[in-house]
């Protein structure tokens, strides 16, 4: 400004006349006129130091002024000063803009790509009960790690694995009361339980399941040993099955198709299948679809760790697993199993109609030795003392399954820390409590981590932390029967959970090794998981973070870590049934799977040996990962869910359909509707991201509105055009049924189905096996309008939506 005054003075000195006009404030009323005063100043005289508000008056009558002004000189001075005035204004504006941008950038959690990233300096809370004042993200992180370090994870895992935890048992009832007492001793706002009366299936000790050879006349011969007589398949069909034996690898649909292509018909036979790749329920469902009479499932040593220093499953052990192709109580599908409630007399469509039984590797060896027929492909060969494996058929077998159904009470236990700003929005974390055997890896680890997180967050609350959203801790019952406890709770509160549950974090199967790390998750959480992995230390590589560990051998961390949610996880029901994004973390062995899962050998000692003494460190890493995820989800001003990710998911799926565009076009069909709906979703996601970027973080009403839209994105992908009772897993990407994108892709592939002995197109259509145009059009409509509905919901208000394709 001094330079500007100097320029003005220079302009005055260049003026041939010393005369200038100034405005002088007239004392009196604020609205009074200003007197105009002519002053003659000597050259170099300083101008007035202050200017006052002025009122411009009309022209004076001629002759009223004692002196005359020189407008040309003032115009010249103005012209010289103008560039500097403009430059100065620009500098002030630029400085103010940059300062405001830096401040806003720090406080805005939406500044980045599609995921909202919290600032370590600006994200904080003000706790009315705290004497420490502001808690920043770095403070919360340090507080969490400090309190977590005081726990006793290893002792809790050991003690839990020693207790009887079969659903409905007396031991489980005692454990429920003990865990409830633990939660009541913590600084939680609410602790409660709910009880469901569910139909569970158990073996009948008086009439054990049996396996016999059958001679040519159909008479029972020698009984084959079932070395673990109390190991069974819950929800197997009961009764008898007789037929020749056939070896069918893992029992996948492609395995059975391959079997048929090699001249071995699975229909009317008993199938011998290996454990692994797909779950028990999927194996039995595939066998039933191909007309098999029954299924025997065994663990092949080839699927487990080998070597002198590796622990392996005993050859006389069988493996437990339920065969309900679904979750929850299969005798009350779509409805919660509360006591004294009435249900329609229906059963889940996922219950099999053929019997199934687990057998040991030793019993499987006896069966394989009797098989004749073609030699199995090289990739089907295993490590049993039978060489080579043959496909069969072999001698006749008789399988008798006598399991019985019992109405059984199961109890879920809940603890809650209420949020301060959005208490009606819940971040949920849960772990299965029950186990068929010792269940150290299956549920003791998850239960121990859950209790440790409850204790840690309770301590943080005592030290001033209060989350923005509520934290809900849950111990589930009935998990070994197909996530029964969690599914019944979801069915009971389905109408409200999609409005209130933000995310579900599962602690089941968290530690099955320590070499690799997998996150089975909804796409909405991928970016947040990446961020958290960079802040958690690797449990077995000193000086590295978990992120650095997973990218050591594969630079694509997503390809190394991210997996889809499996149906046998409690997290699956939250996403595919209730529309709540979910994640389940697992540390795994590099190579074959943990051998003792779902067996009597899943003990603390075996788990400790498999991890070579690193069980406490790995469990601590899972607790750190889950805890920091909870802090971000419950504490961030704006929910850190990457709602733009689903655009990539759709693109990846429909990319596989492009090769069939010519075949569809030849039939007068097109996938353009799906492409258009996907484009609308991407545009809606980008529009929301820009709205958030330019919004004021301090506007609580606006922030809550954005959070509601973000947290319901997963729910938008549940098809509203199919019944939840008939198709419970309505999610178009993760669900099951004709409404899903996967079903559409599989159907379109039938356009090119051909092969030796394949049926003609008319016969295929008549049997429902070939491509059907009417079915395709219906699938396309279901998928398109679910995707379009998601785009519309993300767009916000109806007046901002354009549904013109």
């Amino acid at each position: 400004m001094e330079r500007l005054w100097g320029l003005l003075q220079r302009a005055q000195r260049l003026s041939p006349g010393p005369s200038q006009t100034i405005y002088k404030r007239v004392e009196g009323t604020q609205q009074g006129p200003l007197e105009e005063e002519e002053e003659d100043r000597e050259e170099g005289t300083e101008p007035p130091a202050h200017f006052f508000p002025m009122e411009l008056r009309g022209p004076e009558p001629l002759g009223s002024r004692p002196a005359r002004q020189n407008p040309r000189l003032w115009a010249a001075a103005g012209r010289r000063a103008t560039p500097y005035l403009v430059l100065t204004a620009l500098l002030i504006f630029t400085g103010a803009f940059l300062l405001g941008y830096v401040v806003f950038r720090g406080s805005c959690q939406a500044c980045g790509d599609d995921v909202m990233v919290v600032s370590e300096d600006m994200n904080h809370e003000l706790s009315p009960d705290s004497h420490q004042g502001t808690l920043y993200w770095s403070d919360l992180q340090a507080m969490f790690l400090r309190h977590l370090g005081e726990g006793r994870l290893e002792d809790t895992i050991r003690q839990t694995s020693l207790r009887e935890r079969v659903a409905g048992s007396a031991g489980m009832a005692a454990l429920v009361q003990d865990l409830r007492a633990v939660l009541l001793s913590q600084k939680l706002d609410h602790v409660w339980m709910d009880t469901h009366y569910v139909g569970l299936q158990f073996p009948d000790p008086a009439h054990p399941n049996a396996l016999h050879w059958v001679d040519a006349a159909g008479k029972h011969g020698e009984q084959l040993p079932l070395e673990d007589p109390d190991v069974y398949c819950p929800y197997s069909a009961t009764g008898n099955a007789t037929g020749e034996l056939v070896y069918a690898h893992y029992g996948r649909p492609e395995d059975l198709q391959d079997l048929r292509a090699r001249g071995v018909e699975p229909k009317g036979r008993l199938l011998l299948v290996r454990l692994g790749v797909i779950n028990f329920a999927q194996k039995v469902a595939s066998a039933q679809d191909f007309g098999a009479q029954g299924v025997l499932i065994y663990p092949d040593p080839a699927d487990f760790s080998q070597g002198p220093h590796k622990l392996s499953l005993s050859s006389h052990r069988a493996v437990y697993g339920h065969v309900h192709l679904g979750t929850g109580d299969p005798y009350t599908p779509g409805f919660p199993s509360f006591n004294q409630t009435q249900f329609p007399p229906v059963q889940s469509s996922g219950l099999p109609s053929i019997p199934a039984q687990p057998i040991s590797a030793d019993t499987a060896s006896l069966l394989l030795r009797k098989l004749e027929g073609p030699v199995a492909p090289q990739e089907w060969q295993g490590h049993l003392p039978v060489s080579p494996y043959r496909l069969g058929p072999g001698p006749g077998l008789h399988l008798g399954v006598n399991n019985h159904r019992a109405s059984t009470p199961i109890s879920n236990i809940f603890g809650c820390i209420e949020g301060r700003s959005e208490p009606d929005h819940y971040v949920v974390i849960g772990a299965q409590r029950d186990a068929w055997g010792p269940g150290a890896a299956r549920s003791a680890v998850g239960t121990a981590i859950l209790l440790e997180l409850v204790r840690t967050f309770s301590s943080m609350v005592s030290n001033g932390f209060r989350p923005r959203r509520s934290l809900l801790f849950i111990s589930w019952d009935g998990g070994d029967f197909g996530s029964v406890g969690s599914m019944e709770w979801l069915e009971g509160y389905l109408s409200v959970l999609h409005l209130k549950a933000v995310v579900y974090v599962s602690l089941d199967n968290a530690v099955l090794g320590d070499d690799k790390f997998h996150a089975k998750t909804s796409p909405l959480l991928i970016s947040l998981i990446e961020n958290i992995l960079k802040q958690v230390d690797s449990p077995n590589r000193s000086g590295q973070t978990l992120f650095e560990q997973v990218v050591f051998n594969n630079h694509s961390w997503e390809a190394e870590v991210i997996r889809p949610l499996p149906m046998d996880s409690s997290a699956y029901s939250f996403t595919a049934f209730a529309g709540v994004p979910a994640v389940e973390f697992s540390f795994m062995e590099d190579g074959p799977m943990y051998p003792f899962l779902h067996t009597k050998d899943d003990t603390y000692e075996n788990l400790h040996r498999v991890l070579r003494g690193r069980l406490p460190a790995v469990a601590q890493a899972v607790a750190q990962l889950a805890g920091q995820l909870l802090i971000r989800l419950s504490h961030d001003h704006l929910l850190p869910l990457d709602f733009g990710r689903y655009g990539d998911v759709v693109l990846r799926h429909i990319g596989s359909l492009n090769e069939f565009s010519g075949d569809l076009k030849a039939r007068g069909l097109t996938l353009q509707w799906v492409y258009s709906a996907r484009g609308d979703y991407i545009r809606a996601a980008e529009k929301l991201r820009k709205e958030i970027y330019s919004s004021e973080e301090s506007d609580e009403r606006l922030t809550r509105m954005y959070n509601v839209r973000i947290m319901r994105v997963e729910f938008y992908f549940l098809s509203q055009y199919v019944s939840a009772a008939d198709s419970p897993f309505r999610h178009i990407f993760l669900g099951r049924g004709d409404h899903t994108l996967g079903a559409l892709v599989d159907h379109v592939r039938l356009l090119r189905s051909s092969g030796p002995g394949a049926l003609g197109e008319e016969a295929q259509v008549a049997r429902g096996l070939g491509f059907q145009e009417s079915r395709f059009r219906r699938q396309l409509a279901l998928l398109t309008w679910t995707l379009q509905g998601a785009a519309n919901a993300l767009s916000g208000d109806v007046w901002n939506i354009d549904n013109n394709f």
Side-chain angles (χ1 to χ4, degrees), residues 611-626:
L611 270 75
R612 300 171 295 280
R614 289 200 290 270
L615 174 57
V618 180
Q620 185 87 351
V622 175
Q624 288 185 22
L625 186 68

Side-chain angles (χ1 to χ4, degrees), residues 140-218:
L140 289 174
Q141 192 178 34
M143 180 191 293
F144 170 75
L145 295 176
R146 183 172 67 253
H147 289 291
L148 184 69
E150 300 170 357
R152 299 170 56 194
L153 273 172
E154 189 174 14
D155 287 343
T156 308
I157 296 170
R158 182 191 291 110
Q159 295 301 322
T160 304
S161 66
L162 293 175
R163 302 188 62 161
E164 181 190 13
R165 305 197 309 287
V166 177
S169 67
M172 173 59 84
L175 180 60
V176 166
Q177 296 305 318
D178 291 346
L179 292 186
R180 181 173 178 272
V182 170
L183 296 189
L184 286 170
S185 69
Q186 302 297 322
K187 195 174 180 61
L188 300 175
D189 296 304
H190 309 283
V191 175
W192 74 100
M193 293 168 37
D194 69 9
T195 299
H196 300 268
Y197 290 79
V198 297
L200 304 183
Q201 200 184 63
F202 299 97
D204 186 350
H207 302 89
N209 299 341
L211 187 64
H212 292 84
W213 291 116
V214 176
D215 62 20

Side-chain angles (χ1 to χ4, degrees), residues 222-260:
E222 178 189 358
Q223 182 173 349
L224 288 154
L226 295 179
E227 295 171 297
D228 271 346
D230 50 348
V231 179
Y232 69 112
C233 288
Y235 302 125
S236 163
T238 56
N240 302 308
T242 303
E244 295 176 318
L245 184 68
V246 167
Y247 172 56
H249 201 210
Y250 291 112
R252 297 168 296 183
E254 54 266 38
D255 294 331
L256 299 179
Q257 289 170 356
D258 194 2
L259 195 65
R260 181 173 282 170

Side-chain angles (χ1 to χ4, degrees), residues 430-454:
Q432 175 183 326
R433 183 178 66 254
D434 66 299
W436 173 81
R442 174 61 177 160
S443 62
V445 169
T447 297
I449 295 173
L450 179 71
L451 293 176
E452 181 61 20
L453 289 172
V454 169

Side-chain angles (χ1 to χ4, degrees), residues 369-391:
R369 289 192 185 101
K370 297 287 187 177
L371 292 183
E372 300 174 350
V375 173
Q378 182 59 41
E379 60 272 20
W380 288 31
Q381 299 295 322
H383 288 171
L384 290 177
V386 178
S387 184
Y389 287 20
R390 292 184 176 274
L391 299 179

